[in-house]
């Protein structure tokens, strides 16, 4: 592990992921890895229970950013003492607006998921979905944000305190406090690599792009369990009719 991102989601972490890959610090672990491969969720649930296996989680990766990584920045900085730390930052008010329109919306849409009858059926058919929500709750919503993410003032305070804690805890020669709007130069200087000639700095995963991704992920998460439930219903109906015919 060469680079660890300590910045919250919606501070340019997807853009940083693309930049790190371009600079040769990939593959880069991002929350997208968890959403694309939900079997990874069990690893983060174990971490939340105090049983992390960092080397297993990050096997094959040279960098890691975004949540849930940023929730464990202290532990990861200790476990990988040679890794450099990048704290992505942005204007706090703009961060909250972006988060409220994207990652917070995902949480609010699923807030009552476990208590609904349909939700329970979906969980039975697709336990990865239920586990992902549980992991996000324990690690982020009820962990980093203390269950108060809709409270703008409180979330902003958490955001700003996090930045202060990282600044105070990581030696200056190991830490880059970075706004992705600054582009290649400070990032390349910090990592000790040349600015890639003729390559524009990436700009990915803005609010509109994230909302499209979220809709796609929600559809994929829902399709599998719904298909399983419908398939089971069809099979049961077929078997019931066959048994009824035999009785007659």
């Amino acid at each position: 592990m060469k680079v660890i991102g300590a910045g919250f989601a919606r501070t340019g972490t997807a853009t940083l992921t693309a930049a790190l890959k371009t600079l040769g610090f990939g593959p880069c672990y991002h929350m997208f890895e968890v959403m694309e491969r939900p079997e990874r969720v069990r690893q983060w649930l174990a971490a939340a229970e105090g049983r992390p296996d960092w080397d297993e989680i990050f096997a094959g990766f040279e960098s890691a950013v975004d949540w849930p990584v940023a929730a464990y920045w202290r532990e990861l900085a200790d476990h990988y003492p040679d890794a450099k730390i990048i704290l992505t930052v942005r204007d706090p008010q703009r961060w909250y607006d972006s988060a409220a329109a994207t990652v917070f919306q995902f949480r609010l849409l699923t807030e009552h998921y476990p208590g609904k009858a349909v939700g329970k059926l979906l969980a039975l058919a697709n336990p990865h979905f239920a586990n992902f929500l549980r992991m996000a709750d324990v690690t982020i919503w009820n962990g980093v944000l203390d269950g108060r993410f809709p409270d703008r003032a409180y979330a902003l305070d958490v955001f700003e305190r996090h930045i202060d804690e990282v600044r105070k805890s990581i030696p200056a020669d190991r830490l880059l406090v970075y706004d992705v709007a600054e582009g290649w130069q400070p990032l390349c200087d910090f990592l000790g690599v040349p600015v890639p000639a003729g390559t524009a700095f990436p700009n990915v995963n803005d609010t509109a792009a994230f909302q499209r991704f979220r809709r796609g992920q929600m559809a994929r998460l829902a399709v599998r369990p719904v298909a399983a439930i419908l398939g089971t219903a069809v099979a049961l109906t077929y078997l019931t009719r066959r048994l009824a015919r035999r009785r007659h």
Side-chain angles (χ1 to χ4, degrees):
M1 182 61 62
K2 297 176 180 177
V3 178
I4 297 166
F8 282 6
R10 309 312 299 164
T11 59
T13 56
T15 293
L16 178 60
T17 296
L20 289 171
K21 290 177 180 178
T22 299
L23 296 175
F25 292 88
C28 181
Y29 195 108
H30 186 281
M31 176 64 95
F32 292 150
E33 294 291 333
V34 185
M35 298 180 78
E36 296 282 355
R37 293 184 56 187
E39 64 270 20
R40 295 188 186 279
V41 170
R42 65 171 181 79
Q43 298 171 327
W44 289 104
L45 285 172
E49 294 167 357
R51 301 179 290 104
D53 186 336
W54 301 125
D55 295 332
E56 178 191 16
I57 289 174
F58 299 116
F61 292 88
E62 293 195 7
S63 54
V65 304
D66 200 69
W67 283 329
V69 171
Y72 296 96
W73 63 272
R74 290 183 188 274
E75 294 90 336
L76 292 172
D78 289 341
H79 188 76
Y80 298 107
D82 295 327
K84 294 190 173 184
I85 312 299
I86 298 178
L87 174 63
T88 43
V89 296
R90 69 185 296 185
D91 174 79
Q93 299 293 337
R94 293 185 64 188
W95 166 78
Y96 187 86
D97 289 340
S98 176
T102 53
V103 290
F104 291 177
Q105 284 298 311
F106 178 83
R107 178 60 182 85
L108 289 169
L109 283 170
T110 58
E111 184 170 9
H112 303 297
Y113 167 86
K116 293 182 178 178
V118 172
K120 291 178 181 179
L121 287 173
L122 294 177
L124 287 172
N126 188 355
H128 287 314
F129 189 24
N131 287 337
F132 178 83
L133 295 179
R134 186 158 64 92
M135 181 277 294
D137 271 354
V138 172
T139 306
I140 303 165
W141 313 122
N142 295 325
V144 174
L145 294 163
D146 303 317
R148 296 177 61 182
F149 55 91
D151 183 335
R152 184 186 189 99
Y154 188 82
L156 285 169
D157 182 60
V158 170
F159 179 75
E160 293 175 328
R161 280 191 285 113
H162 173 77
I163 292 171
D164 287 341
E165 288 172 9
V166 176
R167 282 180 179 270
K168 292 174 182 176
S169 302
I170 304 297
D173 61 350
R174 192 185 176 192
L175 175 66
L176 174 66
V177 180
Y178 179 57
D179 186 327
V180 294
E182 299 174 79
W184 286 122
Q185 197 66 58
L187 180 63
C188 292
D189 290 346
F190 177 67
L191 296 175
V193 297
V195 173
T199 303
F201 191 78
N203 179 19
V204 297
N205 198 31
D206 60 12
T207 297
F210 182 94
Q211 290 171 337
R212 289 192 297 272
F213 175 81
R214 185 196 70 197
R215 287 193 294 269
Q217 284 298 112
M218 290 293 288
R220 281 191 287 275
L221 286 167
V223 163
R224 284 187 293 177
V226 168
I229 292 167
L230 290 175
T232 301
V234 169
L236 288 172
T237 301
Y238 173 77
L239 290 172
T240 300
R241 288 176 178 174
R242 287 291 299 270
L243 289 170
R245 288 196 195 103
R246 288 182 180 180
R247 292 193 187 101
H248 292 295

